[in-house]
Amino acid sequence: MNTKLATLLSSALIVALSACSENPTPQSKTTQTTVEEKTQQSNPLLAEFTGPYGGVPAFDKMDLADLKPALEKGMALKLAEIEAIVNNPEPANFQNTIAALEKSGDELSRVYKYWGIWSSNLNSPEFRAIQKEMVPKISAFNSSIIGNQKLFDKIKTVYRSAELKTLNSEEQRITWLTYNSYARNGATLSGEAKIRYAEINQELAGLQTQFANNVLADEENYALFLSEKQLAGLSESLISAAANAAKALGKEGQYAITNSRSSMDPFLTYSDERELREKVWKTYYSRANNGDEFDNNELIKQILRLRDERVALLGYDNYSQWRLEDRMAKNPESAMNLMKQVWPAAIARVEEEVADMQAIADAQGANFKIAPWDYRYYAEKVRKDKYSLDSDEVKQYLQLHKLRDAMFYVAGRIFNFDFRPVPEGSVPVFHEDVKVWEVTDKTSGAHVGLWYLDPFGRKGKRSGAWATTYRSHTTFDGKKTVLSSNNSNFVKGSEGQPTLISWDDAETYFHEFGHALHFLSATVAYPTSHSGVRDYTEFQSQLLERWLTTDEVINNYLVHYKTGEPIPAELVTKIEKAATFNEGFKTTEYMASAIMDLLYHTTDPAEIEPQAFEKEQLAALGMPQEVVMRHRSTQFGHVFSSEGYSSGYYGYMWAEVLTSDAAEAFAEAPGGFYDKELSKKLVDHLFSIRNAMEPAEAYRLFRGRDAKVEALMRDRGFPVNK
């Protein structure tokens, strides 16, 4: 029955997809093939990457009209390749099953790269209409492959074969990863359970997409426009950025605070207008929670219910059990235990921070208690009072282009990479703000890949910062070089002026570049080796943040945007002394989101009303009233807009334990953070192998032991239990 069902699902989907994009009139096989070839040749989204550097995406030929037919054709082509694997009469082995799967779907993979650009960088109502229609079809397509019993039987045969022991370590691991992926995603089910599993995936795909679009809608629909009289406290650079934002929104002559973190955060830090701070804060933290068409509360309930039902089909008690089984944490108890080790120290530090802020507010004659919209503002005053450190003064030395050069310097010293801008116009880009660099090996001059940078915020671009690849390094089917990308939402400086960013944003810039270096340094052979272990993959990027504070970067790249003078030594000393300042706030707002994520996915969904659940659980944890979750439930895209971080947001802290421990290794090394021997071990064991080795084993090869949580506590200035 399973085989028949899978075959029927596959056949039905092929027919449906073909009917959407091709002439339904019966044709001869020769004519049909000609039409298919013509479709592939004429649709740039399906075509092989051509041009220099091993081929590059045709971003200059992107047309939304091509997206739907490209997706349909790409899925049909991959299904045909799956059928060829399934119907191969030879006994299943690594080459004709696992390696064949690795080769399948090239056309569809290319289409997904363009899909990702429209989804994240160039989102529009027209794209969202296509997205809404196609997401359920994509889910059905994926389910038809997972549910193909003949295919799973072949995978299982290879996984259990004597041949497995003869394979190299990477081939053994991707065989296990493939088998595990299918087994954990419904391949072991049969009958009605298998059908229901596929239905749930389709429903979830649509709901999660709607969740993300609702958040984006509220980010686009709200902006606070200010007059010149309402700018008290804001620096020249912030005022300039707000003027540019208003101009981009058609309100030239005014000043706009957009509904994004990059705009909200500095406004709350510096604006003297408390009523406006409250308004900006409430607007930002109420995204998708306004009781209108973009409200996400009901979507959360539906998503949790469906996730719980789906894992129950596989025999798990809750979603977190299933999600964490193949992560470093292994189970939700281990993840929550890490949170509980740090949480008391974090909220105790918040109490100290609030007391310091309240003292300053009281001394200034304020007749109120510190509220969430006051936290950043008075924290900045405490910073100045305790450490004589002015964040806006520091910002004058943080020029975006100089920080980029600093990242290139670090990449050269640690990874032996050289970054050079490609000739203007030689590589297509999807927006005029995007710039491209070629990455080569400094010693041999060998081409490594390209690095794309899309640094500025704009309408239609999702908030935050992220890294991605348009092509990953592989060698099993001919060497493929890397096409990596970093994306941010900085507010662009005025014409002819550099873009200045905060210290936190500078750390994020380095963080995301760490992901790019992880992509660029890969030496693995197979695509599946690039699959991530969520509570590990953030480690490499978090670690790269540490190079921002090295003497080489500070002395050479942190220069004043007007005078060109290096940042003064006394200011650097102040930054170092204030390194753990406001750590209570940062840790608590993050951990509140991470803990709530675990609670959402270990609690019976029938008992959850999101707003009440959030309030009750945080109260039970002793959440300080002056702080809220970094991502309130209705805007928690990491968890509810996809399953990438669902029940896994704790992973940032799990990875940070590794980060703090590894940073101590560099601090103790003879050459410090530029120690050649340790740098080589870092690249060889923790960057280049991606997921071709179990992460805990890889870390032991680097450090000689497991990581210790005490390093994290020391990093944050929290007491360490002895």
Side-chain angles (χ1 to χ4, degrees):
M1 183 176 180
N2 295 343
T3 301
K4 182 178 180 181
L5 171 61
T7 304
L8 284 172
L9 283 170
S10 298
S11 301
L13 188 56
I14 291 172
V15 170
L17 293 174
S18 299
C20 289
S21 61
E22 295 175 7
N23 189 338
T25 305
Q27 302 176 55
S28 68
K29 184 175 180 180
T30 302
T31 305
Q32 182 71 26
T33 301
T34 302
V35 171
E36 290 180 359
E37 289 176 349
K38 183 177 180 182
T39 300
Q40 287 175 252
Q41 292 169 0
S42 62
N43 193 320
L45 307 187
L46 285 163
E48 287 191 23
F49 294 166
T50 60
Y53 310 110
V56 294
F59 290 134
D60 55 336
K61 297 179 181 177
M62 288 175 63
D63 187 336
L64 267 177
D66 292 325
L67 180 57
K68 180 180 171 183
L71 283 166
E72 292 167 340
K73 177 53 63 179
M75 288 189 284
L77 289 170
K78 178 159 183 173
L79 286 175
E81 291 172 317
I82 297 298
E83 288 303 305
I85 295 170
V86 166
N87 294 325
N88 187 334
E90 297 295 322
N93 58 40
F94 179 83
Q95 286 300 327
N96 68 23
T97 303
I98 305 301
L101 277 170
E102 297 289 291
K103 292 180 183 179
S104 67
D106 280 353
E107 294 86 359
L108 183 59
S109 178
R110 289 192 288 270
V111 178
Y112 283 154
K113 305 307 178 187
Y114 298 107
W115 170 284
I117 295 298
W118 273 306
S119 175
S120 298
N121 302 70
L122 301 171
N123 205 302
S124 66
E126 293 78 13
F127 168 75
R128 290 196 279 273
I130 297 171
Q131 185 184 43
K132 184 176 182 180
E133 176 186 356
M134 293 306 297
V135 161
K137 292 183 180 181
I138 293 170
S139 177
F141 158 78
N142 291 330
S143 294
S144 74
I145 295 174
I146 292 289
N148 190 319
Q149 189 64 45
K150 286 184 178 179
L151 177 62
F152 183 59
D153 287 345
K154 282 180 172 281
I155 294 169
K156 184 165 56 177
T157 295
V158 179
Y159 177 62
R160 295 178 176 177
S161 70
E163 179 196 17
L164 188 67
K165 294 180 180 179
T166 70
L167 303 175
N168 67 39
S169 59
E170 183 180 353
E171 290 169 342
Q172 289 185 35
R173 183 158 176 81
I174 69 163
T175 300
W176 175 78
L177 288 169
T178 302
Y179 172 80
N180 194 49
S181 176
Y182 278 70
R184 283 172 41 78
N185 285 283
T188 59
L189 299 177
S190 60
E192 292 298 322
K194 180 168 282 192
I195 294 174
R196 180 58 187 150
Y197 196 95
E199 290 173 346
I200 290 172
N201 279 341
Q202 279 189 265
E203 292 180 60
L204 279 172
L207 293 171
Q208 289 166 175
T209 299
Q210 188 60 48
F211 184 99
N213 286 339
N214 284 349
V215 176
L216 180 61
D218 269 7
E219 289 172 351
E220 291 182 345
N221 292 341
Y222 291 92
L224 177 66
F225 293 98
L226 306 175
S227 67
E228 195 168 350
K229 295 180 180 179
Q230 296 173 302
L231 303 176
L234 302 187
S235 67
E236 178 185 329
S237 60
L238 284 177
I239 291 171
S240 176
N244 287 337
K247 183 178 180 180
L249 293 171
K251 300 281 188 177
E252 188 167 5
Q254 296 187 48
Y255 305 86
I257 307 303
T258 60
N259 204 19
S260 66
R261 180 172 289 274
S262 294
S263 188
M264 171 277 297
D265 203 287
F267 184 81
L268 294 184
T269 302
Y270 298 110
S271 174
D272 293 334
E273 304 286 341
R274 188 169 190 252
E275 288 186 7
L276 291 178
R277 292 202 310 269
E278 180 179 359
K279 186 172 184 178
V280 167
W281 186 93
K282 287 183 175 179
T283 301
Y284 182 79
Y285 285 103
S286 296
R287 288 170 299 154
N289 189 34
N290 295 301
D292 57 13
E293 61 181 309
F294 302 119
D295 191 284
N296 273 337
N297 282 286
E298 284 303 314
L299 288 182
I300 291 173
K301 292 163 63 175
Q302 293 175 59
I303 289 168
L304 291 172
R305 177 180 60 78
L306 288 169
R307 287 177 178 173
D308 190 65
E309 180 186 355
R310 190 183 61 190
V311 299
L313 293 172
L314 297 172
Y316 294 90
D317 292 336
N318 58 60
Y319 182 87
S320 285
Q321 274 187 357
W322 170 80
R323 170 55 74 197
L324 271 63
E325 187 178 49
D326 62 350
R327 304 287 171 89
M328 290 189 78
K330 302 303 180 188
N331 56 66
E333 291 78 20
S334 294
M336 190 65 84
N337 182 57
L338 173 61
M339 301 292 107
K340 288 180 178 178
Q341 288 184 67
V342 183
W343 180 256
I347 60 174
R349 179 59 59 82
V350 167
E351 186 176 346
E352 295 172 6
E353 292 171 0
V354 170
D356 288 340
M357 291 187 285
Q358 192 68 56
I360 287 181
D362 292 346
Q364 293 178 341
N367 187 26
F368 55 79
K369 287 188 175 183
I370 298 296
W373 45 89
D374 299 315
Y375 207 116
R376 292 168 175 83
Y377 181 75
Y378 282 99
E380 184 59 24
K381 293 189 178 301
V382 172
R383 190 198 309 269
K384 292 178 182 178
D385 182 60
K386 270 195 168 185
Y387 304 99
S388 299
L389 182 62
D390 183 342
S391 292
D392 194 60
E393 181 185 1
V394 175
K395 192 173 185 178
Q396 313 309 306
Y397 296 90
L398 298 174
Q399 301 175 68
L400 194 63
H401 71 288
K402 297 295 289 185
L403 288 165
R404 183 195 65 215
D405 291 344
M407 297 190 306
F408 291 168
Y409 170 79
V410 172
R413 290 286 302 273
I414 306 301
F415 295 84
N416 204 41
F417 289 157
D418 185 48
F419 286 73
R420 294 185 181 180
V422 303
E424 195 72 28
S426 64
V427 171
V429 294
F430 53 82
H431 190 276
E432 61 183 7
D433 286 342
V434 180
K435 306 302 177 187
V436 188
W437 285 258
E438 181 185 12
V439 186
T440 58
D441 182 272
K442 288 179 69 174
T443 304
S444 67
H447 173 74
V448 174
L450 296 181
W451 183 66
Y452 293 71
L453 176 63
D454 184 15
F456 302 118
R458 60 178 170 270
K459 185 178 177 63
K461 188 177 183 182
R462 71 177 175 92
S463 61
W466 66 97
T468 189
T469 53
Y470 308 133
R471 184 174 63 222
S472 296
H473 176 280
T474 57
T475 58
F476 83 110
D477 190 30
K479 185 176 180 180
K480 303 291 194 301
T481 56
V482 183
L483 302 174
S484 63
S485 173
N486 279 146
N487 308 267
S488 304
N489 272 276
F490 301 118
V491 180
K492 190 185 297 188
S494 298
E495 188 71 31
Q497 295 295 316
T499 296
L500 304 179
I501 64 175
S502 69
W503 187 264
D504 284 346
D505 279 344
E507 288 182 327
T508 300
Y509 203 26
F510 269 68
H511 175 106
E512 296 303 333
F513 189 61
H515 283 303
L517 290 174
H518 201 185
F519 303 144
L520 289 161
S521 60
T523 58
V524 298
Y526 295 89
T528 293
S529 293
H530 290 282
S531 60
V533 179
R534 186 59 73 185
D535 50 9
Y536 176 65
T537 53
E538 291 299 328
F539 154 58
Q540 289 84 351
S541 52
Q542 287 176 350
L543 184 60
L544 202 82
E545 296 175 28
R546 303 308 178 97
W547 274 267
L548 174 62
T549 55
T550 59
D551 290 342
E552 289 84 347
V553 168
I554 287 174
N555 295 334
N556 294 291
Y557 298 97
L558 273 57
V559 298
H560 196 278
Y561 81 103
K562 286 184 177 178
T563 67
E565 292 294 317
I567 188 169
E570 57 269 26
L571 185 53
V572 174
T573 300
K574 292 177 183 179
I575 293 171
E576 291 171 346
K577 286 183 177 179
T580 59
F581 173 74
N582 217 32
E583 200 59 60
F585 172 80
K586 295 177 191 174
T587 305
T588 300
E589 66 156 7
Y590 158 73
M591 287 186 63
S593 291
I595 292 171
M596 284 303 303
D597 173 28
L598 289 168
L599 291 172
Y600 269 124
H601 289 102
T602 53
T603 303
D604 181 354
E607 300 176 4
I608 293 177
E609 286 290 339
Q611 292 307 300
F613 187 71
E614 177 185 307
K615 184 176 181 180
E616 292 163 4
Q617 294 300 323
L618 291 177
L621 286 167
M623 179 76 171
Q625 294 183 350
E626 300 86 359
V627 184
V628 295
M629 295 164 62
R630 179 176 296 176
H631 306 288
R632 300 283 305 280
S633 298
T634 58
Q635 59 231 217
F636 205 169
H638 287 77
V639 170
F640 294 118
S641 68
S642 72
E643 296 190 63
Y645 282 90
S646 55
S647 201
Y649 194 65
Y650 77 91
Y652 283 97
M653 180 156 285
W654 191 281
E656 196 157 332
V657 171
L658 303 175
T659 299
S660 297
D661 193 70
E664 287 192 349
F666 273 100
E668 296 162 3
F673 276 82
Y674 296 93
D675 187 85
K676 289 186 177 180
E677 183 179 347
L678 196 58
S679 295
K680 186 177 188 306
K681 289 178 69 175
L682 179 77
V683 176
D684 290 349
H685 298 310
L686 299 180
F687 273 77
S688 67
I689 62 170
R690 300 290 284 155
N691 193 19
M693 179 183 291
E694 201 280 321
E697 180 183 349
Y699 190 82
R700 289 186 204 106
L701 288 174
F702 165 75
R703 193 68 162 107
R705 58 166 173 75
D706 291 328
K708 298 179 180 180
V709 70
E710 289 80 9
L712 171 73
M713 302 295 280
R714 285 190 288 270
D715 251 350
R716 298 190 174 216
F718 296 161
V720 178
N721 295 325
K722 296 182 179 179

